[in-house]
C-alpha cells in the first residue's frame, strides 16, 4: 500500500540553524500539506501546496518558512533560522484530487528539536 | 471561537466495551467534512473515518462509526468492542468548504483501554 514517507524521523539542531524536512508524498497525489504539532498540543496547519505553488498558508508560516517540490517527488519544508519554539513534530500529508473523502494521508512525522 | 471542540481530554474504558469520543464543530459553510484520526504513542497519524456534510448516512468503517448529528453540529466517534490496541490519542478534524482542504483540528482525547 502506498504511503507518505518523511525523513529524518528525528532532527536536532541549534537555534539559528537552517533545517530542511523532507517528504515523499504518494505518487499520484496532487495536494500537499505541512502541519506541526507542538508536544501535547493540537495539530496546526502550516501550508498547502498545489500545482507547484502555495495555495494556502497559516499565520505560523512566516518568512522563515518555505516549501518546495524540487524534483516532482520530494516535498520539502525549510526553516531558515530555527527558534526554540519551532520544536515540534512536523507532519507532511498528501491528498489525491477527486477522492470522495478528501482524505489526507499523513507521513510518520519528523520530530524537530531546537536547542 | 473554537472550530473543533473535543471536551474529553482523557478517557478510561474497559476492554471489549464500546466507547464514544465527543466532537462538536462550528462552521457556517454548508460544505464541510469531518475526519477522525488516531495517533498512537509512536506518533504517526492514522486516518479512521470520514463524514461529509451532505452524506445522508452515518459513516462506518469496521469497528468505527461516526454518529453525525448535523443540527447539533456533533460528529462523535464510536468504537465498538474496544481492544487494548485502541489506546491512543484521537483527533477530530474538519475541512471547511471546497478549497484546499486544510484540516482544522481539535485538541484530542487520550483513550486508555484497561484489560
Amino acid at each position: 500500500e502506498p504511503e507518505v514517507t518523511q525523513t529524518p524521523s528525528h532532527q536536532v539542531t541549534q537555534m539559528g540553524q537552517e533545517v530542511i524536512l523532507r517528504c515523499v508524498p504518494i505518487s499520484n497525489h496532487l495536494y500537499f500539506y505541512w502541519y506541526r504539532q507542538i508536544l501535547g498540543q493540537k495539530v496546526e496547519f502550516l501550508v498547502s501546496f498545489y500545482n507547484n505553488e502555495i495555495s494556502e498558508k497559516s499565520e505560523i508560516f512566516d518568512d522563515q518558512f518555505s516549501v518546495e517540490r524540487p524534483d516532482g517527488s520530494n516535498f520539502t519544508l525549510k526553516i531558515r533560522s530555527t527558534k526554540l519554539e519551532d520544536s515540534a513534530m512536523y507532519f507532511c500529508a498528501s491528498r489525491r484530487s477527486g477522492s470522495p473523502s478528501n482524505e489526507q494521508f499523513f507521513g510518520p512525522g519528523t520530530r524537530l528539536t531546537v536547542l | 471561537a473554537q472550530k473543533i471542540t473535543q471536551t474529553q481530554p482523557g478517557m478510561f474504558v474497559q476492554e471489549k466495551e464500546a466507547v464514544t469520543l465527543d466532537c462538536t464543530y462550528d462552521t457556517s459553510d454548508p460544505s464541510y467534512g469531518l475526519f477522525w484520526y488516531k495517533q498512537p504513542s509512536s506518533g504517526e497519524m492514522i486516518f479512521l473515518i470520514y463524514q461529509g456534510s451532505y452524506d445522508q448516512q452515518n459513516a462506518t468503517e469496521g469497528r468505527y462509526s461516526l454518529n453525525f448529528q448535523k443540527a447539533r453540529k456533533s460528529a462523535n466517534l464510536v468504537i465498538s468492542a474496544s481492544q487494548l490496541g485502541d489506546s491512543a490519542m484521537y483527533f477530530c478534524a474538519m475541512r471547511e468548504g471546497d478549497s484546499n482542504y486544510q484540516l482544522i483540528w481539535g485538541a484530542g482525547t487520550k483513550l486508555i483501554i484497561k484489560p
Side-chain angles (χ1 to χ4, degrees), chain A residues 93-112:
Chain A
S94 69
R95 181 176 68 85
R96 178 170 54 91
S97 177
S99 168
S101 72
N102 298 314
E103 172 192 343
Q104 292 182 21
F105 291 81
F106 280 75
T110 292
R111 183 168 297 285
L112 176 65

Side-chain angles (χ1 to χ4, degrees), chain A residues 23-51:
Chain A
C23 169
V24 179
I26 295 173
S27 62
N28 62 347
H29 285 193
L30 300 177
Y31 294 82
F32 314 112
Y33 306 83
W34 282 102
Y35 293 86
R36 80 172 184 192
Q37 185 183 29
I38 294 170
L39 187 64
Q41 298 187 22
K42 65 171 69 176
V43 178
E44 300 172 293
F45 167 75
L46 293 178
V47 66
S48 61
F49 192 86
Y50 170 70
N51 201 25

Side-chain angles (χ1 to χ4, degrees), chain B residues 11-24:
Chain B
M11 285 188 74
F12 286 89
V13 171
Q14 202 67 40
E15 191 181 7
K16 297 190 178 66
E17 289 184 353
V19 56
T20 298
L21 305 180
D22 295 341
C23 173
T24 57

Side-chain angles (χ1 to χ4, degrees), chain B residues 46-68:
Chain B
I46 303 166
F47 167 75
L48 295 178
I49 197 166
Y50 166 82
Q51 181 84 44
S53 59
Y54 295 119
D55 293 344
Q56 295 296 313
Q57 294 191 327
N58 286 348
T60 60
E61 286 284 348
R63 292 187 300 114
Y64 304 107
S65 60
L66 204 150
N67 184 1
F68 182 46

Side-chain angles (χ1 to χ4, degrees), chain A residues 21-100:
Chain A
L21 309 183
R22 291 184 167 80
C23 169
V24 179
I26 295 173
S27 62
N28 62 347
H29 285 193
L30 300 177
Y31 294 82
F32 314 112
Y33 306 83
W34 282 102
Y35 293 86
R36 80 172 184 192
Q37 185 183 29
I38 294 170
L39 187 64
Q41 298 187 22
K42 65 171 69 176
V43 178
E44 300 172 293
F45 167 75
L46 293 178
V47 66
S48 61
F49 192 86
Y50 170 70
N51 201 25
N52 284 320
E53 60 183 23
I54 290 172
S55 42
E56 272 185 306
K57 59 182 180 178
S58 72
E59 58 192 28
I60 301 168
F61 194 87
D62 62 21
D63 292 344
Q64 292 301 309
F65 292 87
S66 62
V67 288
E68 203 176 34
R69 189 156 158 78
D71 56 13
S73 63
N74 290 284
F75 178 51
T76 62
L77 174 69
K78 183 194 290 187
I79 310 175
R80 255 179 279 282
S81 177
T82 50
K83 303 190 276 283
L84 294 176
E85 54 265 37
D86 293 327
S87 294
M89 181 77 99
Y90 288 79
F91 290 103
C92 172
S94 69
R95 181 176 68 85
R96 178 170 54 91
S97 177
S99 168

Side-chain angles (χ1 to χ4, degrees), chain A residues 35 45 104 106, chain B residues 35 37 93-95 101-105:
Chain A
Y35 293 86
F45 167 75
Q104 292 182 21
F106 280 75
Chain B
F35 299 77
Y37 283 85
M94 177 173 66
R95 180 250 319 155
Y101 305 108
Q102 63 156 292
L103 294 179
I104 303 162
W105 297 76

